[in-house]
């Protein structure tokens, strides 16, 4: 495929002399049509081209697998070049074949019977004519000529020598190799040029590249040999003449181009031109512009294809390339600079359509109010983008002209009027114009609107309606959160934010007894009780309340009218006693002696102006363990304490009462932690009556025993389990500790008498000093079944009948049955008697039954 591609590339520029030869070659190598056969067995055979031996030439035997006689037909043999022997099935060729005429033949061998019906699958045979080197290279031109420009890069071809060989392009027979035989003249070097042995491309050698610019030779002639069979010594040859003309370098950077934007001309428009001296040259453009905006034709003319917009792109850097037909650069690319000239096609535009600003009515004359800004995207270096500002109109109008001024170039709006009055004019409306071309005629312009709001200032302080309020009497037990009073101040300003008043207590509330709640929009303040009043501490309050605006006062200072005094009187109330502590908590040993002082409760009467008269009493002392002195508040132990009864903590209360006002009482909790003393011995817990041990002793049998002590953990666990100090018991039993409260009891020997045994066990706690308990644990020792069940001797069951009573019961039962049968027999025998007798007999029957 690569050879075919190269072959068709060589057809470019072929001379008319060789056209017929080329067409013949194409027809032989690529036949236009071939016969299409149905699916069959396929075979292949190769035949040498120009066979010179005896004919016919037998090619191969075709196996058709035919039984009996058959008519053998050869399809695709229209020219009669091939034949097949019917008997042997041998395929043969009748005369020499020319590959250049036809390289492939396709035959189909079919066997048919007398009715012309196929008797076996057809065989398709492809015959390839094996190429012989019987064609010499044919040059595509009689003389090849090229133009070589000084400055051409070494290795870049400027002319191509081409030839055609009709032999098989897939074999060395058509593998053409190019070689320069002679160069005329040989100055300044005999090796000025090189040729690509495969493609025939002629280019400057490294030596030629360095000598060409200084050489005075203007023409060269090369004799180039074209040979087939590749690098083999044999093969056909052809000689080509190459005429080379040396020319000066015309590859010069074009002058910069200035092009007006929005230019109304016919496009494409030539804007510049470049030229490279060569017959084989292709121009191209690259760099930073949209595809298709610029183009270049084969003559080197550079075009712009449409109008340019400077605001989209003001400058272009266009690279121009000159390449040979292989895509190689002849020289470094040229740079064309294009500048787009501006046209005043953009009006100045404000950054905002509407500007809004607010200023105070006391703003000084000459103050900067706001800056409006416009932009013109035309060339800033021209008047097209130089803008000026102007106020066109003002609403409402001032009697002396405009109240405001705008900087011609800056767009800064300043105040010209020193007497703004918010009550007279609350807002001004300015129409501002901006124009380019420095405001000259013919320029473009646009407008914006500026709204200037005049703000009121806070120049009136708040004033109380009166300077003194009260007095307001309140008892000292008034609940926290009670409203004391509400006072009001007014402000003559118009703006709500200037009428908003904040109140503060300047003095008289250092202990924060009161809290004020501001309502700035309403101009009121509420005074609330924040802490409890105490007549014994403070009998009256004088609160100095001030009123201020939230906004800063302008042009005036606060005076006495912005301050008021609130007088509050505290009335005495008889109060309940007060304890020095809200809760008492004490610890005491449970074995403390009665009469011991536990603690003293202290209380005071807050009514310091009255003589104290307090009494103390106990409440919730359910066990009557304690007593309290009515006057001193001393609490003492009255009875022996027992921690185990109350589980560590005993709770009670002390009540303090004002004798002058019995309803005035106060109480406090007393938490008494009764500390444990080791005054209880441990004892066994649990029911062991169903427990037993088997004798003889069995493996892993035991009785788990558990102990408990009512004392606390520090005076109880761990328990000590031991046997009484008796040799027999020490021999018969063993105790193994499990944990702090449990132990195993097991047999010490393998056999004990089956009966109930009393095992003496000594229990001991861990208290200091310790407590000991001696117990006798009843343990049943019994003979056991194989399953480990205890077998016990059974006595007579209570209530179980004796033999005599059983016999009596049986005899009685039999007698009753006999009497019943007798009655039935008598009844049946009397059925035949008369009715009177029957009735008499019926009357007698219940008597007998009763008897």
């Amino acid at each position: 495929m690569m050879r075919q591609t190269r072959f068709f590339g060589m057809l470019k520029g072929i001379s008319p002399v060789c056209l017929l030869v080329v067409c013949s070659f194409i027809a032989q190598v690529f036949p236009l049509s071939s016969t299409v056969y149905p699916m069959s067995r396929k075979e292949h055979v190769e035949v040498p081209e120009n066979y010179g031996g005896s004919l016919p030439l037998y090619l191969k035997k075709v196996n058709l697998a035919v039984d009996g006689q058959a008519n053998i037909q050869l399809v695709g043999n229209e020219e009669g070049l091939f034949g097949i022997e019917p008997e042997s099935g041998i395929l043969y060729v009748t005369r020499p074949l020319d590959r250049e005429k036809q390289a492939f033949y396709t035959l189909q061998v079919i066997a048919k019977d007398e009715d012309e019906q196929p008797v076996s699958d057809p065989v398709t045979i492809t015959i390839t004519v094996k190429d012989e080197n019987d064609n010499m290279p044919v040059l595509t031109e009689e003389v090849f000529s090229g133009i070589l420009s000084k400055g051409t890069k070494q290795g870049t071809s400027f002319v191509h020598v081409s030839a055609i060989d009709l032999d098989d392009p897939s074999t060395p027979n058509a593998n053409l190799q190019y070689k320069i035989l002679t160069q005329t003249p040989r100055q300044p070097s005999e090796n000025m040029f090189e040729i690509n042995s495969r493609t025939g491309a002629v280019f400057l050698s490294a030596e030629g590249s360095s000598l060409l610019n200084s050489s005075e030779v203007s023409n060269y002639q090369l004799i180039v040999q074209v040979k087939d069979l590749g690098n083999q010594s044999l093969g056909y040859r052809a000689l080509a003449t190459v005429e080379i003309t040396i020319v000066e370098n015309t590859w010069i950077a074009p002058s910069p181009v200035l092009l007006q934007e929005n230019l109304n001309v016919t496009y494409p428009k030539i804007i510049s031109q470049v030229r490279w001296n060569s017959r084989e040259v292709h121009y191209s453009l690259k760099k930073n512009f949209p595809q298709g905006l610029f183009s270049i034709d084969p003559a080197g003319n550079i075009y712009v294809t449409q109008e340019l917009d400077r605001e989209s792109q003001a400058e272009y850097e266009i690279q121009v390339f000159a390449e040979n037909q292989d895509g190689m650069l002849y020289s470094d690319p040229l740079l064309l600079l294009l500048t787009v000239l501006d046209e005043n096609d953009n009006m100045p535009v404000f950054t905002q359509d509407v500007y809004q600003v607010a200023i105070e009515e006391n703003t000084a004359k000459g103050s900067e109010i706001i800056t409006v800004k416009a932009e013109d995207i035309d060339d800033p270096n021209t008047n097209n983008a130089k803008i000026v500002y102007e106020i066109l109109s003002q609403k409402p109008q001032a009697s002396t002209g405009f109240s405001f001024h705008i900087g011609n170039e800056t767009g800064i709006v300043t105040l010209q009027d020193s007497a703004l009055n918010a009550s007279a004019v609350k807002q001004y409306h300015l129409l501002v114009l901006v124009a380019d071309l420095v405001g000259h005629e013919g320029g473009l312009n646009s407008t914006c609107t500026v709204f200037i709001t005049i703000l009121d200032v806070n120049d009136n302080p708040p004033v109380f309606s009166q300077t003194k309020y009260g007095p307001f009497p309140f008892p000292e037990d008034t609940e926290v959160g009670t409203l004391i009073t509400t006072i009001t101040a007014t402000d003559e300003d118009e703006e709500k934010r200037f009428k908003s008043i904040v109140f503060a207590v300047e003095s008289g509330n250092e202990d924060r007894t009161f809290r004020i709640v501001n309502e700035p929009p309403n101009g009121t303040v509420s005074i609330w009780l924040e802490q409890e009043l105490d007549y014994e501490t403070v009998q009256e309050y004088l609160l100095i309340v001030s009123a201020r605006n939230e906004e800063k006062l302008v042009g005036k200072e606060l005076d006495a009218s912005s301050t008021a005094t609130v007088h509050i009187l505290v009335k005495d109330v008889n109060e309940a006693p007060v304890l020095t502590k809200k809760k008492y908590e004490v610890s005491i040993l449970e074995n403390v002696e009665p009469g011991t002082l536990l603690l003293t409760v202290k209380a005071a009467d807050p009514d310091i102006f009255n003589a104290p008269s307090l009494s103390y009493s106990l409440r919730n002392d359910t066990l009557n363990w304690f007593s309290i002195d009515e006057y001193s508040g001393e609490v003492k132990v009255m009875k022996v304490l027992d921690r185990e009864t109350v589980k560590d903590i005993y709770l009670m209360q002390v009540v303090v009462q004002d004798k002058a006002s019995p309803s005035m009482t106060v109480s406090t909790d007393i938490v008494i932690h009764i500390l444990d003393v080791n005054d209880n011995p441990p004892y066994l817990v649990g029911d062991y009556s169903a427990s037993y041990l088997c004798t003889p002793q069995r493996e892993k049998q035991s009785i788990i025993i558990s102990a408990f002590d009512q004392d606390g953990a520090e005076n109880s666990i761990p328990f000590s389990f031991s046997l009484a100090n008796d040799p027999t018991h020490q021999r018969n039993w063993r105790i193994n500790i499990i944990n702090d409260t449990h132990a195993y009891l097991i047999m010490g020997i393998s056999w004990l008498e089956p009966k109930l045994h009393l095992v003496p066990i000594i229990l001991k706690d861990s208290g200091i000093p310790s407590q000991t308990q001696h117990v006798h644990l009843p343990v049943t020792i019994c003979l056991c079944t194989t399953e480990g069940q205890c077998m016990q001797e059974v006595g007579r069951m209570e209530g179980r009948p004796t033999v005599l009573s059983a016999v009596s019961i049986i005899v009685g039962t039999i007698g009753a049955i006999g009497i019943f049968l007798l009655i039935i027999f008598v009844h049946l025998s009397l059925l035949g008697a008369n009715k009177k007798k029957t009735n008499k007999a019926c009357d007698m029957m219940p008597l007998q039954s009763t008897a």
Side-chain angles (χ1 to χ4, degrees), residues 250-467:
T250 59
W251 192 242
I252 300 172
S255 300
V257 176
L258 301 177
L259 191 64
Q260 183 71 43
E261 72 170 326
N262 306 320
L263 190 60
N264 186 15
V265 297
T266 302
Y267 292 93
K269 172 182 171 57
I270 296 178
I271 58 174
S272 187
Q273 183 183 37
V274 295
R275 183 169 176 266
W276 179 266
N277 268 331
S278 177
R279 286 194 177 91
E280 295 182 1
V281 62
H282 171 70
Y283 300 105
S284 62
L285 304 178
K286 295 181 182 177
K287 206 53 175 174
N288 60 337
F289 57 84
Q291 185 177 2
L293 183 59
F294 299 98
S295 65
I296 188 169
D297 64 14
N301 295 316
I302 301 175
Y303 299 86
V304 59
T305 62
Q306 63 189 45
E307 293 182 4
L308 299 181
D309 181 13
R310 191 205 67 83
E311 287 69 42
S312 297
Q313 187 166 342
E315 293 182 347
Y316 296 89
E317 293 181 352
I318 305 171
Q319 283 187 314
V320 187
F321 297 82
E323 302 170 343
N324 65 6
Q325 69 178 30
D326 297 325
M328 297 181 64
L329 292 177
Y330 281 114
S331 185
D332 293 335
L334 301 180
L335 182 63
L336 172 62
L337 297 177
L338 186 147
T339 301
V340 183
L341 299 179
D342 187 43
E343 179 185 30
N344 190 23
D345 57 345
N346 292 282
M347 71 171 62
V349 178
F350 283 99
T351 57
Q352 298 175 217
D353 292 332
V354 177
Y355 292 82
Q356 294 186 355
V357 65
I359 61 173
E360 295 179 348
E361 61 182 344
N362 62 343
T363 300
K365 180 179 180 180
S367 299
E368 293 185 4
I369 305 302
I370 192 173
T371 300
V372 297
K373 185 178 180 181
E375 295 178 349
D376 192 316
I377 60 175
D378 285 324
D379 189 352
N381 297 317
T382 68
N383 285 342
N384 297 337
K386 290 185 178 179
I387 58 178
V388 293
Y389 300 90
E390 178 186 357
I391 296 177
L392 292 181
S393 65
Q394 170 187 309
K395 295 180 182 179
Q397 295 182 353
S399 58
T400 58
F402 291 145
S403 300
F404 303 92
H405 174 266
I406 189 167
N408 185 261
E409 296 182 357
T410 63
I412 298 175
V413 179
T414 56
L415 177 64
Q416 294 292 101
D417 190 351
S418 60
L420 295 178
N421 190 340
S423 60
V425 179
K426 294 187 179 297
Q427 189 179 70
Y428 289 92
H429 173 194
L430 305 182
L431 182 63
V432 179
L433 172 79
V434 62
D436 59 15
L437 293 184
V438 202
H440 294 162
E441 185 178 354
L444 304 175
N445 60 71
S446 65
T447 60
C448 76
T449 302
V450 181
F451 291 100
I452 303 174
T453 302
I454 310 303
L455 302 177
D456 185 25
V457 296
N458 186 23
D459 53 359
N460 291 290
V463 176
F464 284 103
S465 58
Q466 60 190 77
T467 58

Side-chain angles (χ1 to χ4, degrees), residues 697 730-734 746-750 752:
Q697 186 181 18
Q730 293 283 342
R731 180 198 66 189
N732 291 348
W733 307 97
R734 296 285 187 273
I746 61 176
M747 293 168 55
I749 57 178
S750 62
L752 287 176

Side-chain angles (χ1 to χ4, degrees), residues 62-106:
V62 180
N63 295 319
L64 293 173
V66 176
D67 295 332
Q69 295 294 323
N71 179 23
I72 306 300
Q73 297 180 5
L74 196 61
V75 180
N77 188 30
E78 288 77 3
E79 298 182 13
L81 294 176
F82 303 94
I84 189 169
E85 294 184 351
E87 296 81 8
S88 63
I90 295 176
L91 179 68
Y92 58 86
V93 61
T94 60
R95 60 177 180 265
L97 302 179
D98 183 3
R99 192 203 68 81
E100 285 70 42
K101 181 179 179 182
Q102 187 168 341
F104 302 96
Y105 296 88
T106 301

